[in-house]
Amino acid sequence: YSVTLEPHKRDWLFALEAPATLPITNEFPTRLTAEMQIVASDLVRQRSRYDMRSYTTYRFNADASEAERRNWLQLPSTYNPRTLQLADEIRSRSGSDADRVRATLEYLRRGGYEYTLSPPRLGRNSIDEFLFDTRQGYCEHYASAFVFLMRALDVPARVVTGYQGGELNPVDGFLTIRQSDAHAWSEVWLQGRGWVRVDPTAIVAPLRIDQGASEIARQSGIALPGTSSSTWLRSIRFNWEAVQNSWNQWVLSYSQERQRDLMGLLGLTPNW
């Protein structure tokens, strides 16, 4: 697949799942970190396009050492006492780590939780307040609460952030990922399997996963940048974005010298 990356003035590049190769770009060298994150040697200050190949089925860090696993079990000792008590209750009726993951997800499923983009503010014991009082939040709330419970249950866990969803343009077939598609989920480390993805938001609000943040926002009456609920406005936007994308893809396929020649044929003398 190909990625057209808008300038975001950070050093990371995006890819699906587990990258099989490093992207080759003319702008900067790239490297792959131990966490499978692609990092550029410089900040991304201009639009760039690169080709990628990724694995969608893989096993990651299955041979993690005991010291590494201890890092993924750390918790503050004087926070969220009610959540720690809940973890003791789940532990008493669960056997393996996988059983504890399933029991925690079932607790969230039956807990009367609500997905919202406008949750109430939380205080010092934020996990306690979220799990037992407000019961309202978005993906970061569910991911962090789940990871806290997993660590309290002695299951190595961590929060992962990225993007989930996107909008398929029916005019040109390109998928647009916006900042509003940012998402947080969880990973647990299981013996013999390594890191396993678990998305607690999918348990509470499957609509967020199936149709993306824009649908949740639409139903909540919130207008996200770059989106519209009006059919004719969406049609205009799809066509305009397809025109913009066609120009971007065409220009990015040419070197600066060939771009200059083209501008010359058009009678233009751009200031490079």
Side-chain angles (χ1 to χ4, degrees):
Y1 58 96
S2 296
V3 177
T4 301
L5 180 63
E6 295 293 333
H8 59 294
K9 298 182 181 179
R10 299 292 188 271
D11 63 350
W12 53 76
L13 278 69
F14 300 105
L16 297 171
E17 300 287 353
T21 58
L22 280 174
I24 299 175
T25 68
N26 296 325
E27 292 84 5
F28 34 66
T30 58
R31 62 183 177 86
L32 189 67
T33 71
E35 300 297 333
M36 292 196 298
Q37 185 179 31
I38 302 174
V39 178
S41 61
D42 197 1
L43 302 184
V44 180
R45 295 188 176 91
Q46 64 184 39
R47 185 181 294 111
S48 178
R49 186 176 66 178
Y50 52 89
D51 295 326
M52 283 298 304
R53 186 165 59 91
S54 293
Y55 294 108
T56 57
T57 302
Y58 57 93
R59 180 159 36 177
F60 182 50
N61 215 358
D63 56 350
S65 66
E66 184 178 349
E68 288 179 294
R69 299 199 301 272
R70 279 198 302 268
N71 288 333
W72 302 321
L73 290 170
Q74 293 182 5
L75 282 176
S77 58
T78 59
Y79 288 77
N80 304 299
R82 288 184 287 173
T83 304
L84 294 175
Q85 182 179 354
L86 173 61
D88 289 338
E89 295 172 4
I90 294 175
R91 182 186 292 105
S92 67
R93 59 177 185 268
S94 303
S96 66
D97 287 355
D99 288 339
R100 295 173 180 180
V101 171
R102 285 189 289 268
T104 303
L105 292 175
E106 187 62 23
Y107 176 86
L108 293 175
R109 188 195 312 274
R110 297 177 178 273
Y113 292 97
E114 177 186 349
Y115 185 96
T116 176
L117 297 173
S118 303
R121 304 183 75 173
L122 303 174
R124 180 179 187 274
N125 293 301
S126 58
I127 303 296
D128 277 0
E129 294 174 25
F130 167 66
L131 285 177
F132 300 101
D133 300 330
T134 67
R135 298 176 187 261
Q136 294 180 321
Y138 43 82
C139 54
E140 287 91 339
H141 295 82
Y142 291 103
S144 58
F146 179 82
V147 166
F148 190 101
L149 272 167
M150 286 295 98
R151 293 189 176 196
L153 286 164
D154 299 318
V155 179
R158 62 186 182 182
V159 174
V160 183
T161 57
Y163 295 83
Q164 189 277 329
E167 184 178 49
L168 185 67
N169 190 326
V171 177
D172 60 7
F174 277 78
L175 185 71
T176 300
I177 310 296
R178 296 182 172 86
Q179 194 61 33
S180 57
D181 295 306
H183 188 52
W185 58 95
S186 309
E187 286 182 342
V188 295
W189 191 91
L190 299 178
Q191 189 71 43
R193 299 177 62 185
W195 288 113
V196 176
R197 178 186 303 158
V198 180
D199 193 345
T201 302
I203 300 298
V204 176
L207 182 66
R208 165 63 183 89
I209 307 305
D210 293 340
Q211 300 188 33
S214 59
E215 180 60 22
I216 293 284
R218 187 189 67 80
Q219 294 188 8
S220 304
I222 300 173
L224 295 178
T227 65
S228 172
S229 59
S230 169
T231 301
W232 69 274
L233 283 178
R234 284 167 60 90
S235 177
I236 291 174
R237 178 169 58 82
F238 281 141
N239 280 278
W240 174 242
E241 289 180 352
V243 170
Q244 287 183 309
N245 184 53
S246 295
W247 171 256
N248 291 338
Q249 300 303 319
W250 190 62
V251 169
L252 288 171
S253 298
Y254 285 83
S255 66
Q256 189 176 93
E257 181 180 354
R258 295 186 68 181
Q259 293 177 43
R260 187 183 297 111
D261 291 342
L262 174 62
M263 294 297 103
L265 289 173
L266 296 176
L268 303 175
T269 54
N271 183 342
W272 294 100

